[in-house]
Amino acid sequence: MNITDIVEQDEKAPLIEQRADPYVYYHKDGYYYFTASAPEYDRIEIRRAWSVKALADAQPVTVWRKHAEGPMSWHIWAPELHYINGKWFIYFAAGQAEDPWYIRTWILENDSPDPFCGEWKEKGMLISEWDSFMLDTTVFENNRKWYAVWAQKSRERTENSCLYIAEMITPYTLKFPQTLLTRPEYDWECRGFKVNEGPAVLKRNGKVFLTYSASATDATYCMGMLVADAGANLLDASSWTKEKDPVLVTDEKAGIYGPGHNSFTTSRDGKEDYLIYHARPYAEVDLSFALYDPNRHAWVKRIRYDERGYPIFK
């Protein structure tokens, strides 16, 4: 059985249960690494395996725990594991016990070749152009430059969160000004809450595809997408085209509700792309309790492409 068969087999059931905001990274050492929000929101775990399917049975290892008080002591959300210039980094969101919704992006660094070894050092907060609710930071390389994309409440504070991009000076320093990429404007982005969050980057067919999640974290949660040419100025908002319709929504027939907050990974030969996302297996959830419902599971789906070279997620 090849890895494509493995992934297609698992599309009908969750890959890993009770792990929201899943992030999978295929590293040069041959391992697939997985991290996600633990349902207790109190720690950061990583696991690894030789295949996507095997991640389900891989032993998670806790590499960091929340503080008892102060910054990074509450709502430990959406960690992402990245390898940049010979070091490992984890970007994650965290609040504080005294103000759980004072959510900002924080960074851990490990200079060991093996992220299960060495020391994970706290590198502080990722500072944006203004101070406001900020989470779901992802980073990516394009044409030898590193970029960060994240969700943040705008200066005007008219939405829950918008998406911004900035070039990175270092793995923990942004270069200003930051650029607004998208704000909630369509009905499907404003159900329950006005949200654009959970950005993820897929580079294929000469394009940079930037997916994101929209609306409340119930069955209305869904995925949108922006597209830019890989050679364009990614810091120019006009380089990006926003799809008018969501690219992945609730599928009642399949029993997948509120799909979103995804990441991307590839087959070992780099020829196949896979969508890793979370969803619930049921529709009914109390919106006031939705974030604390532990049953957002990690799912995996092989990506197909249309005649334009655009990904098809449905």
Side-chain angles (χ1 to χ4, degrees), residues 11-22:
E11 287 186 14
K12 299 179 181 179
L15 174 69
I16 301 174
E17 294 188 350
Q18 295 194 343
R19 288 299 183 271
D21 315 319

Side-chain angles (χ1 to χ4, degrees), residues 234-304:
L234 301 185
L235 299 177
D236 183 349
S238 66
S239 296
W240 297 87
T241 300
K242 181 176 179 177
E243 297 291 290
K244 294 182 179 179
D245 298 307
V247 294
L248 186 65
V249 298
T250 286
D251 184 343
E252 295 183 7
K253 186 176 180 180
I256 295 174
Y257 297 88
H261 203 122
N262 70 287
S263 62
F264 298 103
T265 194
T266 68
S267 58
R268 288 184 174 276
D269 61 11
K271 295 181 179 179
E272 299 279 1
D273 295 314
Y274 306 113
L275 172 73
I276 315 294
Y277 66 100
H278 77 226
R280 287 191 182 86
Y282 48 81
E284 297 301 321
V285 61
D286 182 349
L287 190 55
S288 64
F289 183 73
L291 285 173
Y292 305 103
D293 177 332
N295 293 315
R296 290 184 293 173
H297 306 327
W299 303 67
V300 58
K301 178 189 290 286
R302 184 168 66 92
I303 298 171
R304 296 176 293 116

Side-chain angles (χ1 to χ4, degrees), residues 186-197 212-224 245-252 256-261 278-280 282-287 290 296:
Y186 298 119
D187 173 70
W188 55 270
E189 298 176 295
C190 302
R191 295 173 180 169
F193 298 102
K194 295 180 178 181
V195 168
N196 283 175
E197 65 180 14
Y212 63 95
S213 300
S215 289
T217 54
D218 57 9
T220 67
Y221 206 55
C222 59
M223 278 172 46
D245 298 307
V247 294
L248 186 65
V249 298
T250 286
D251 184 343
E252 295 183 7
I256 295 174
Y257 297 88
H261 203 122
H278 77 226
R280 287 191 182 86
Y282 48 81
E284 297 301 321
V285 61
D286 182 349
L287 190 55
R296 290 184 293 173

Side-chain angles (χ1 to χ4, degrees), residues 15-16 18-26 32-38 43-49 55 58-64 76-82 88-92 108 115-116 120 137 261-263 276-278 298:
L15 174 69
I16 301 174
Q18 295 194 343
R19 288 299 183 271
D21 315 319
Y23 186 83
V24 174
Y25 168 61
Y26 179 57
Y32 287 88
Y33 288 83
F34 176 93
T35 189
S37 296
R43 65 192 184 277
I44 295 175
E45 299 174 341
I46 59 175
R47 65 177 79 184
R48 66 183 171 193
L55 287 169
Q59 182 65 35
V61 174
T62 298
V63 297
W64 182 88
I76 309 305
W77 287 347
E80 289 197 3
L81 178 69
H82 293 269
W88 293 95
F89 295 87
I90 294 177
Y91 298 84
F92 66 101
L108 305 176
F116 288 87
W120 282 98
T137 297
H261 203 122
N262 70 287
S263 62
I276 315 294
Y277 66 100
H278 77 226

Side-chain angles (χ1 to χ4, degrees), residues 76-277:
I76 309 305
W77 287 347
E80 289 197 3
L81 178 69
H82 293 269
Y83 189 75
I84 305 173
N85 299 330
K87 294 182 180 181
W88 293 95
F89 295 87
I90 294 177
Y91 298 84
F92 66 101
Q96 52 193 30
E98 300 80 5
D99 184 357
W101 297 103
Y102 188 85
I103 304 290
R104 301 295 186 271
T105 293
W106 298 83
I107 306 167
L108 305 176
E109 178 189 83
N110 189 339
D111 60 11
S112 170
D114 184 344
F116 288 87
C117 301
E119 179 185 359
W120 282 98
K121 300 176 182 178
E122 296 175 2
K123 301 302 291 186
M125 191 167 68
L126 185 66
I127 305 297
S128 63
E129 200 169 345
W130 59 89
D131 185 44
S132 65
F133 181 86
M134 177 183 177
L135 73 169
D136 295 351
T137 297
T138 192
V139 303
F140 70 100
E141 183 273 335
N142 190 60
N143 293 329
R144 300 183 180 181
K145 293 182 179 180
W146 280 89
Y147 299 88
V149 183
W150 67 94
Q152 185 173 5
K153 189 177 286 291
S154 67
R155 290 183 189 273
E156 300 79 16
R157 301 180 183 271
T158 51
E159 306 91 359
N160 295 89
S161 59
C162 306
L163 290 188
Y164 295 88
I165 188 172
E167 189 177 340
M168 304 188 79
I169 300 171
T170 72
Y172 29 80
T173 309
L174 300 176
K175 182 179 179 180
F176 301 139
Q178 62 193 56
T179 300
L180 172 67
L181 289 182
T182 172
R183 65 189 340 137
E185 56 183 314
Y186 298 119
D187 173 70
W188 55 270
E189 298 176 295
C190 302
R191 295 173 180 169
F193 298 102
K194 295 180 178 181
V195 168
N196 283 175
E197 65 180 14
V201 173
L202 170 66
K203 296 197 297 181
R204 183 69 79 177
N205 303 326
K207 302 288 186 181
V208 179
F209 301 101
L210 177 63
T211 57
Y212 63 95
S213 300
S215 289
T217 54
D218 57 9
T220 67
Y221 206 55
C222 59
M223 278 172 46
M225 187 171 74
L226 304 170
V227 184
D229 290 332
N233 177 7
L234 301 185
L235 299 177
D236 183 349
S238 66
S239 296
W240 297 87
T241 300
K242 181 176 179 177
E243 297 291 290
K244 294 182 179 179
D245 298 307
V247 294
L248 186 65
V249 298
T250 286
D251 184 343
E252 295 183 7
K253 186 176 180 180
I256 295 174
Y257 297 88
H261 203 122
N262 70 287
S263 62
F264 298 103
T265 194
T266 68
S267 58
R268 288 184 174 276
D269 61 11
K271 295 181 179 179
E272 299 279 1
D273 295 314
Y274 306 113
L275 172 73
I276 315 294
Y277 66 100

